[in-house]
Amino acid sequence: MRLHWFWSTNPQKVRLALEELELDYELVPVDLAKGAHKQAEFLALHPRGKVPALEIDGGVCWESNAALEYLGMREGRLWPTEPVGHTEALSLLHMESGAFQDQAGVYFFNRVVLPAAGKEGDPGRVAAAAKKMTRLLTVLDDRLDGKDYLLGDFTVVDCSFAPWLPILDLDAHPRVAAWRDRLMARPSWTACEFTY
């Protein structure tokens, strides 16, 4: 099993799940700054030239949430066993990839990527993203009412959102903030060596 990886959020989701599942895997760094993700060898793994790409069982999961779903189903752990749980897990995974990460990505770019490159972020763009993020964070806050994790027990769905949470403004969403703190206290988080 090989995870083609960079330190950004989507690869970290999959790495977090691999650590939680205590699976043996090889971490293969992809140097985005040098354009390694645009080389033919990598494009054969990930046709969109993005990270991550998880080589597993003779195939490649080249979307992060597809990798999470596959890992949960393959291992029979950190994935719901009942149909209602499946519907909730899939809905949340698709919300994360289809809406949440668009706005969280604005935070990440302005608060992590630009400062890492010695540039200032744009507070106006973050403020605009914050307005759109409010409804999504409210959905998560409501889901966490009376629960430690989105589906009650920890699952790969939590891994999908986890890398975004440290860079978001969560004062108005106390259950999400408490969930973030629980996630960051897990040994898997430490093992992933998050740098932001």
Side-chain angles (χ1 to χ4, degrees):
M1 192 178 312
R2 304 174 84 212
L3 177 63
H4 298 264
W5 174 90
F6 189 68
W7 57 265
S8 57
T9 49
N10 284 326
Q12 287 287 53
K13 297 177 197 179
V14 180
R15 188 176 181 192
L16 191 62
L18 291 167
E19 290 292 337
E20 282 286 344
L21 289 163
E22 299 179 322
L23 297 175
D24 290 328
Y25 65 97
E26 178 185 353
L27 198 59
V28 181
V30 179
D31 192 337
L32 302 185
K34 292 185 178 177
H37 58 303
K38 300 298 181 187
Q39 301 303 312
E41 182 180 350
F42 186 75
L43 290 170
L45 295 173
H46 196 311
R48 296 194 319 118
K50 306 278 186 182
V51 285
L54 178 65
E55 291 185 81
I56 185 170
D57 297 337
V60 180
C61 286
W62 46 268
E63 290 292 338
S64 58
N65 285 355
L68 294 177
E69 182 182 350
Y70 185 79
L71 286 168
M73 291 190 309
R74 175 189 192 258
E75 296 299 311
R77 296 181 287 143
L78 305 186
W79 186 252
T81 57
E82 299 297 323
V84 171
H86 287 145
T87 63
E88 291 178 358
L90 291 172
S91 294
L92 287 164
L93 285 174
H94 285 272
M95 184 186 94
E96 189 279 332
S97 64
F100 190 89
Q101 74 173 253
D102 284 347
Q103 303 313 315
V106 174
Y107 284 81
F108 188 74
F109 185 72
N110 285 279
R111 291 185 170 173
V112 179
V113 175
L114 288 176
K119 300 177 182 177
E120 286 190 33
D122 184 339
R125 288 189 179 186
V126 172
K131 288 181 182 177
K132 295 176 182 178
M133 184 63 85
T134 297
R135 179 65 191 132
L136 299 168
L137 289 171
T138 299
V139 169
L140 297 177
D141 214 53
D142 291 347
R143 288 255 173 201
L144 289 161
D145 188 13
K147 295 185 232 173
D148 285 339
Y149 299 101
L150 288 173
L151 299 177
D153 294 327
F154 182 91
T155 68
V156 294
V157 176
D158 298 288
C159 295
S160 181
F161 290 91
W164 302 108
L165 299 176
I167 58 170
L168 302 178
D169 300 316
L170 300 176
D171 291 345
H173 305 279
R175 288 188 286 260
V176 176
W179 172 49
R180 173 203 58 206
D181 294 345
R182 283 190 292 277
L183 292 167
M184 292 176 70
R186 296 180 75 87
S188 59
W189 184 277
T190 303
C192 288
E193 304 171 304
F194 284 89
T195 57
Y196 55 90

